[in-house]
Amino acid sequence: MTQKRALGAKSETLPADIHAALVDSLFGTVGSFVSGMFGGLLVPVISFARTRDPIFIVSTLVMIALSIYRLAVLVGYRRADPAERRRNAARWERLYAIGGIGFMLAVGITAATLFGGHRDDTTILYGVVIAMACGGALASRNSGRPLIVYGQALGVFGPLAIVLLFEYNAWYWGLAAILCLVMTSTKSTTKFLNGIIVSALMNGREAGLQRAQFSSALDSMSHGLCMGDSHGRITVINHRLRELFGLTAAETASVQARDLAELIARSGNLSADAASSFVASWEQHVAARDSSLFSQTIGGRIYDFRCEPRDEGGFVVVVEDVTVARTASREIERMAHFDSLTGLPNRIQFHKRLLDALSAPVPAGHQLALLSIDLDQFKEVNDSRGHPTGDELLCLVSARLRNSVHRDDLVARFGGDEFQVLIETPLDMDCIGVIAQRIIDTISEGYTIDRHPISIGASIGIALAGPKGQDADELIRCADMALYRAKGDGRGVWRVFEPEMDIAMRRKREIEHRLRDAIACEELTVHYQPIVDVRSGKIVACEALARLRHPTEGLVSPAEFIKVAEETGLIIPLGDWILRRACLDAAAWPAGIKVAVNFSAKQFTMGRDVARGIKDILAESGLAPGRLEVEITETTLFEAKDAMEQLRAISAAGVRISLDDFGTGYSSLSYLRQFPVDKIKIDRSFAMEIKSREAQAVIGSVSVLAQLLNVDLVIEGIEEREQLEHLKGWNVTLVQGYVFSKPMPLAELTPLLALSDPYGQRQFRVVA
């Protein structure tokens, strides 16, 4: 809100608070105010005393009335509430102007009447002097509102100057001119003083605003702040700093820097030593010539104290509560180095601590051993019970692991169901073996989660660090190779790394690389081994067998590369390639000859729709479904959860199913009853021992069983005619083995397929 700068003047606005301050200055000099009225009253009183003219009694009464009015206005203003004064400043200015200008006009008229009506020199001198005195004081007392001064000056000097002009006397004209000069001088002085006052008020107002803004900014800061001078005296302290440490304004008034530090230390109930250390750090940093920072925990909170020197001497301290940030930072660091589920060190933290352990000296007679632990059957638990159960099981295993070793030993989770343990043991393999076996036994003990019993096991690979230390990654690699051997040896056992394991692992990697390239570039080949009906010598089916050729070693044993394919997941693309190649080749064979393709259990357990894949390849190759035989082992039947559904879908498509290696596994008769089996293949191990009574008993029993179930029966691995002779008397008419042919490329097989009875000369009569 703004007000006009003067009554009736041209509009020049001022801020409301400045206008109110200027009006307040009119009422500020009470002594001058009263003495001015008293001096003005002397003019009519003296004039009446010298002239006895009744007109001056009237003047006296008028001026007394005006004086009473002015006093009433003064008293009313002084008694009014300051807020009301500021709010109604324009009203109080008008009231003051009426009394002030009216009073001075009465003085001026009285002086002019005295001069014009009476020629008493003494009285005129009194009147002129008093009028001049009243006029001269106007600028100093009322310069806050110039128009009031102008009105008062005109009122006190104007009437007398007019009277002097009508005297037609040069001397009086000169006196009138002097009065006009006095009025001009009063105006100029008033304007000058008003400019100074307004400027001072505006500057003060601006400084006040800046101080208020500075104070508001300080108090609205999220950080605490204090400033001190070169003598260590605290000159500024904001509300936030007091709030951080529960200090009051009274406590922090006129304190030294050390006193403030002691107050802060006392607020956090620091111990004597901690308080002394904090105060010493405070004094050291505030006295430093460069920016510095130190931290202190006070009252359970963490604070950063940032100290900055000031150019003119002194210091500024900014205090920040960094508890949340530090806690979050520590939590992020913890999450980066520790497993969020089990709380054990993770791979990163373990690797760091392993490096430290390998670089540190090991006590004489001791060695570092790294145990790589993998949980057996954990995947089955996770799949059947769900991930929450799996997570809880991992936490229980972690707790058991920690309790199985010493407190100083390092236990970490590498991810999934793999753990690492770094221990320091005597140079005694028996000691390491005892620890490893204890861990296996501890983990293998039963668990109960949600009232369900759960059983798992553990396999452990062990790598020993050399006496001169060893590369951390190499040590982990060696432990992994030992673990690989332990799992390959039947699980639930521990193995120590040996150099031969490295050779075997390198061989595995080489085969994997070669197999991957061969699949991608279609460099694999398929050989076929005939299955012969010994009654006619005819080939009734051929088993497709994949062959991988090594650039320097020739053909790689299927037992070697099939195992690698199963372990690496390459069995899926390898199986698809073999099936497609075999179906395409068999589509060109005579219509009565079937093709048998082996399927790994992994192809069924890796979540693929095997039946759909077979149908697609049959459609692509044009081979009739009835001419394809899918060979599976008993492992598929109990490893694949959906084996029943998959095999029924395959059988429903018209594809025949053959149970391979029968007699070597569980050989459960329930398999033959539950699963859609069209053919049974007796394992080659029985052919090797065919002369023994045990083998004869098994072959005879299976032949009878096959006849009762109306399924075909094949014995594989027959290499000599003598072995064929021992089959007489049993209903075994389908034979596969070197006695007829070894596996051969398609180019060698094709001419045999064109013959009506390629093995007729080896026929024999089967005795029922």
Side-chain angles (χ1 to χ4, degrees):
M1 178 179 178
T2 59
Q3 300 289 338
K4 288 186 177 180
R5 187 167 181 178
L7 295 171
K10 104 176 156 175
S11 178
E12 181 181 353
T13 58
L14 289 171
D17 56 334
I18 299 298
H19 175 257
L22 292 173
V23 172
D24 189 65
S25 69
L26 300 175
F27 298 92
T29 55
V30 178
S32 174
F33 181 85
V34 174
S35 62
M37 289 191 298
F38 180 76
L41 283 170
L42 289 177
V43 175
V45 171
I46 293 173
S47 298
F48 176 75
R50 292 285 294 180
T51 63
R52 298 297 176 178
D53 189 340
I55 190 67
F56 294 115
I57 294 176
V58 176
S59 297
T60 300
L61 294 175
V62 170
M63 292 180 68
I64 289 173
L66 289 170
S67 296
I68 293 172
Y69 168 80
R70 296 186 71 191
L71 286 172
V73 172
L74 174 63
V75 171
Y77 183 84
R78 304 282 287 191
R79 290 181 176 177
D81 182 74
E84 192 275 334
R85 295 179 194 174
R86 290 190 294 271
R87 189 168 54 253
N88 296 312
R91 171 176 169 271
W92 289 109
E93 181 182 4
R94 287 193 297 272
L95 294 175
Y96 183 91
I98 292 171
I101 295 174
F103 185 85
M104 287 302 171
L105 181 60
V107 172
I109 292 174
T110 300
T113 302
L114 179 62
F115 184 84
H118 304 278
R119 296 296 180 176
D120 183 76
D121 293 337
T122 300
T123 304
I124 292 173
L125 180 61
Y126 266 96
V128 171
V129 169
I130 293 173
M132 291 289 287
C134 290
L138 294 175
S140 60
R141 187 173 68 248
N142 297 331
S143 57
R145 305 307 294 148
L147 283 183
I148 294 178
V149 175
Y150 302 158
Q152 288 179 311
L154 188 61
V156 74
F157 295 125
L160 183 58
I162 293 172
V163 171
L164 290 173
L165 288 175
F166 283 99
E167 289 296 322
Y168 301 105
N169 183 307
W171 294 106
Y172 288 151
W173 287 353
L175 184 57
I178 291 173
L179 291 176
C180 289
L181 288 174
V182 171
M183 284 191 292
T184 303
S185 175
T186 299
K187 178 181 178 182
S188 177
T189 301
T190 300
K191 186 175 181 181
F192 174 73
L193 292 176
N194 178 260
I196 293 175
I197 293 172
V198 171
S199 177
L201 289 173
M202 291 295 289
N203 290 337
R205 179 178 185 272
E206 185 65 26
L209 288 174
Q210 290 180 354
R211 284 194 300 272
Q213 291 173 351
F214 178 66
S215 178
S216 176
L218 285 180
D219 289 338
S220 62
M221 288 176 62
S222 60
H223 302 340
L225 179 141
C226 69
M227 301 173 65
D229 59 21
S230 57
H231 300 292
R233 184 173 61 253
I234 300 297
T235 56
V236 174
I237 181 168
N238 74 344
H239 173 74
R240 178 58 176 160
L241 190 144
R242 290 193 292 267
E243 182 182 56
L244 286 175
F245 303 109
L247 305 177
T248 64
E251 286 180 302
T252 56
S254 302
V255 294
Q256 293 292 116
R258 180 182 179 86
D259 299 332
L260 181 57
E262 291 176 346
L263 287 172
I264 292 173
R266 195 178 306 128
S267 72
N269 296 320
L270 296 182
S271 66
D273 291 341
S276 176
S277 175
F278 169 70
V279 173
S281 296
W282 173 283
E283 291 187 311
Q284 174 188 347
H285 286 274
V286 298
R289 295 184 178 181
D290 299 317
S291 300
S292 59
L293 173 72
F294 72 99
S295 300
Q296 179 71 41
T297 300
I298 300 174
R301 309 289 294 180
I302 305 172
Y303 298 95
D304 275 351
F305 294 82
R306 189 177 303 277
C307 304
E308 301 280 350
R310 297 169 63 186
D311 294 338
E312 68 277 13
F315 57 87
V316 177
V317 179
V318 177
V319 185
E320 181 181 3
D321 184 345
V322 295
T323 306
V324 175
R326 292 288 171 81
T327 302
S329 177
R330 291 171 183 171
E331 179 62 17
I332 291 172
E333 182 177 0
R334 190 196 68 79
M335 291 173 63
H337 293 88
F338 290 86
D339 178 52
S340 59
L341 177 63
T342 64
L344 294 176
N346 62 9
R347 183 185 296 268
I348 297 173
Q349 175 72 352
F350 179 82
H351 197 275
K352 176 180 180 299
R353 293 178 62 178
L354 177 59
L355 288 173
D356 294 341
L358 291 175
S359 62
V362 179
H366 286 72
Q367 62 184 342
L368 289 176
L370 176 61
L371 282 66
S372 183
I373 304 170
D374 188 81
L375 303 183
D376 301 330
Q377 295 92 42
F378 175 78
K379 184 178 185 302
E380 289 80 356
V381 173
N382 213 30
D383 291 343
S384 61
R385 298 293 183 185
H387 292 288
T389 298
D391 290 347
E392 186 171 349
L393 180 58
L394 288 173
C395 292
L396 294 174
V397 169
S398 301
R400 291 188 182 184
L401 268 178
R402 281 193 293 261
N403 294 330
S404 298
V405 296
H406 294 132
R407 176 180 295 181
D408 295 336
D409 294 333
L410 176 60
V411 180
R413 183 188 177 203
F414 253 39
D417 59 347
E418 184 179 353
F419 297 85
Q420 299 283 347
V421 177
L422 182 66
I423 61 176
E424 182 182 301
T425 67
L427 295 172
D428 183 357
M429 282 306 303
D430 290 341
C431 180
I432 297 175
V434 168
I435 295 173
Q437 191 60 51
R438 182 172 68 238
I439 291 175
I440 292 174
D441 293 342
T442 301
I443 293 177
S444 300
E445 292 178 4
Y447 302 83
T448 300
I449 299 177
D450 292 335
R451 293 181 294 183
H452 293 289
I454 294 175
S455 297
I456 59 171
S459 301
I460 299 179
I462 304 172
L464 305 177
K468 295 183 179 180
Q470 190 171 351
D471 179 73
D473 292 331
E474 179 65 18
L475 188 65
I476 293 173
R477 191 179 73 87
C478 292
D480 284 343
M481 284 188 283
L483 175 62
Y484 177 76
R485 173 64 62 84
K487 295 175 78 69
D489 288 350
R491 302 174 183 266
V493 297
W494 56 270
R495 294 290 182 266
V496 179
F497 171 77
E498 298 174 353
E500 292 77 9
M501 296 179 183
D502 189 24
I503 297 173
M505 184 61 68
R506 294 179 187 276
R507 173 65 175 177
K508 175 189 173 184
R509 296 288 178 255
E510 180 186 7
I511 295 300
E512 178 187 353
H513 177 73
R514 178 61 188 158
L515 181 59
R516 194 179 300 275
D517 289 346
I519 294 172
C521 301
E522 297 194 2
E523 295 176 352
L524 291 163
T525 58
V526 176
H527 286 194
Y528 297 94
Q529 187 173 32
I531 299 174
V532 179
D533 186 338
V534 295
R535 294 170 300 184
S536 62
K538 293 182 178 181
I539 298 174
V540 296
C542 295
E543 182 179 358
L545 301 168
R547 293 293 183 261
L548 173 66
R549 185 171 296 278
H550 191 279
T552 59
E553 300 176 7
L555 291 178
V556 180
S557 169
E560 185 177 16
F561 74 79
I562 293 297
K563 182 179 180 181
V564 172
E566 289 179 333
E567 293 173 354
T568 59
L570 290 175
I571 192 64
I572 300 301
L574 175 62
D576 289 346
W577 187 90
I578 295 172
L579 178 63
R580 180 176 289 104
R581 182 71 270 159
C583 289
L584 289 170
D585 290 346
W589 298 348
I593 300 176
K594 302 177 181 64
V595 63
V597 179
N598 289 285
F599 274 70
S600 167
K602 297 292 184 182
Q603 291 174 263
F604 286 86
T605 59
M606 297 181 77
R608 301 178 72 247
D609 188 345
V610 180
R612 170 51 57 190
I614 292 173
K615 293 176 185 178
D616 291 343
I617 291 177
L618 286 173
E620 177 186 342
S621 65
L623 182 69
R627 294 181 60 196
L628 174 64
E629 292 182 353
V630 171
E631 289 196 3
I632 61 171
T633 63
E634 296 173 15
T635 305
T636 302
L637 303 180
F638 62 81
E639 282 191 1
K641 294 184 298 183
D642 58 346
M644 177 73 75
E645 292 76 9
Q646 292 269 35
L647 293 176
R648 284 179 175 172
I650 294 172
S651 180
V655 177
R656 292 167 56 83
I657 297 174
S658 174
L659 186 58
D660 199 8
D661 299 338
F662 190 79
T664 59
Y666 293 97
S667 299
S668 173
L669 299 182
S670 64
Y671 292 153
L672 301 178
R673 182 175 56 85
Q674 296 176 14
F675 292 90
V677 176
D678 299 292
K679 179 185 286 187
I680 298 173
K681 295 185 74 173
I682 300 176
D683 185 67
R684 66 177 61 250
S685 62
F686 294 99
M688 295 174 62
E689 302 293 333
I690 198 168
K691 296 179 182 180
S692 68
R693 294 180 60 184
E694 293 80 4
Q696 283 285 311
V698 171
I699 294 172
S701 299
V702 174
S703 67
V704 173
L705 179 65
Q707 187 175 10
L708 293 174
L709 293 175
N710 194 30
V711 298
D712 293 338
L713 179 63
V714 178
I715 184 168
E716 54 184 344
I718 300 296
E719 299 183 0
E720 300 174 357
R721 184 170 181 82
E722 183 182 0
Q723 292 172 304
L724 282 175
E725 294 296 333
H726 287 282
L727 292 177
K728 289 181 178 182
W730 306 118
N731 187 30
V732 181
T733 59
L734 301 179
V735 175
Q736 178 181 354
Y738 278 30
V739 68
F740 293 114
S741 174
K742 65 180 181 180
M744 64 186 75
L746 179 64
E748 296 180 16
L749 175 68
T750 301
L752 289 176
L753 298 179
L755 300 175
S756 59
D757 56 344
Y759 301 107
Q761 71 278 13
R762 296 196 178 110
Q763 295 179 44
F764 73 99
R765 179 183 171 87
V766 178
V767 180

